[in-house]
Amino acid sequence: MRPALKDFARREWGSLFTAVRTALVARGWRAIPLTLTAICLTSAFQLMQNQEWGYQPVQNVGSVRAEEPLWLALLRTPLSLFVPALDLPVWGALAQILLVFGIAEICLGRWRTLAIAYLATLAGTLYARIGIALGPENPLGLPASDARVVDTGPSAAVVGLAVYVCWRHRARWTGALVIVAMVVEILVKNNLAGKEHLAAIAAVLGLIACVAWWERRQGRPEPEPGPGARSWKPPIRS
C-alpha cells in the first residue's frame, strides 16, 4: 500500500478500527450484547413470518403501512426494525446489523445506538405518510399505492447509524460516500425504501447539527475519538 493511501486509511478509519479492535479483544462478543440480541430477534421474526402460523402474528406486532392509523404505526415501529423484508434475503439484514450495529454499539454505547436507530426508523415511517400526501407530482412525493407497502427492516437505522458514527469518529469521506450511495439508489430505483433512507439521513444530520451546536454552546472542544471512546450525546421496506 502506498504511503499516501496508508495515511488516508489511518486518518479515515484509524480511530474506528482502534475502538472496535480494543473492545473486541478486551470483551469479545460481550462488547455487543445489543447487536447480538438484534440478530437473534431478526432471525426469530424471519423464521416465524415464513410459517403459516407465524406470518400474521409477526404482521400484528411489527408490520407498518402508511395506510394504517398513525398511532398503530408508532406502536409497531420499535419491532418493525427487526422484521426483515420478505422480498429481500435475510442474510443481508443480519450482515447489516452485525457490522453497523456492532460498530455503533462499541463506539456510541448501547442506548445511544438504539436511540439513533429508532430516530432514523421513525423518520422513514413518518416520511412515507408525508410523501404520499405530497403525491407523485412532487419530487419528494410518493404514489398512493405506496401506502399499502409493508415497511419493515433495519436498513434506515443502519444508514442513520453509519452516518452518525462516521461523523463522531471523523470518517468524513466514508460518511459522505454513504450519503452519495443513497442518492444514487434513488436515481437508479426511485422507490419508497430509497426515499426513506434519505429521510433517515436527514433526521440524523439534523441530530448531528444539534449536537455540534450544543457542544459549541457549552464550550466543549470536539473530542478526539480514541480507543473505546463513547459520545455523551443523546441522540420498509429495506
Side-chain angles (χ1 to χ4, degrees):
M1 187 182 291
R2 296 179 181 179
L5 194 56
K6 282 185 176 180
D7 288 342
F8 172 79
R10 190 178 297 111
R11 288 194 307 270
E12 185 74 5
W13 304 303
S15 172
L16 272 173
F17 177 79
T18 301
V20 172
R21 182 178 181 277
T22 301
L24 291 179
V25 168
R27 302 185 62 200
W29 293 112
R30 290 175 300 164
I32 52 171
L34 170 65
T35 301
L36 296 179
T37 300
I39 288 173
C40 291
L41 195 55
T42 302
S43 301
F45 277 138
Q46 173 68 5
L47 290 173
M48 286 180 63
Q49 71 179 355
N50 280 285
Q51 308 297 321
E52 185 177 350
W53 57 267
Y55 174 78
Q56 196 56 52
V58 171
Q59 294 295 299
N60 292 341
V61 299
S63 173
V64 175
R65 294 180 179 85
E67 66 179 359
E68 295 170 338
L70 180 59
W71 67 267
L72 183 59
L74 294 177
L75 195 62
R76 291 176 174 176
T77 293
L79 286 179
S80 74
L81 196 158
F82 306 108
V83 177
L86 283 168
D87 61 332
L88 296 176
V90 69
W91 61 263
L94 296 177
Q96 289 176 10
I97 293 171
L98 178 61
L99 180 63
V100 179
F101 270 67
I103 292 174
E105 185 174 4
I106 289 170
C107 295
L108 305 176
R110 185 183 315 162
W111 296 111
R112 293 178 185 87
T113 296
L114 198 58
I116 294 168
Y118 279 133
L119 170 67
T121 301
L122 185 60
T125 297
L126 295 178
Y127 160 74
R129 295 169 181 271
I130 296 171
I132 291 166
L134 291 174
E137 312 80 25
N138 192 300
L140 299 178
L142 295 166
S145 59
D146 279 350
R148 296 187 294 275
V149 172
V150 177
D151 180 22
T152 61
S155 60
V158 163
V159 170
L161 282 170
V163 170
Y164 192 92
V165 170
C166 286
W167 170 74
R168 188 36 101 192
H169 278 259
R170 297 183 178 178
R172 305 291 165 79
W173 287 101
T174 305
L177 183 61
V178 171
I179 296 173
V180 169
M182 296 303 101
V183 172
V184 171
E185 178 188 22
I186 283 290
L187 297 177
V188 173
K189 190 175 182 181
N190 188 4
N191 61 5
L192 173 62
K195 289 187 175 180
E196 284 191 341
H197 294 163
L198 292 184
I201 288 173
V204 171
L205 289 178
L207 173 64
I208 288 171
C210 291
V211 169
W213 172 81
W214 180 256
E215 286 180 342
R216 289 194 300 270
R217 189 170 182 270
Q218 296 298 308
R220 304 184 186 192
E222 186 177 352
E224 288 284 351
R230 294 174 183 266
S231 166
W232 57 273
K233 311 304 175 305
I236 12 195
R237 200 148 99 188
S238 296

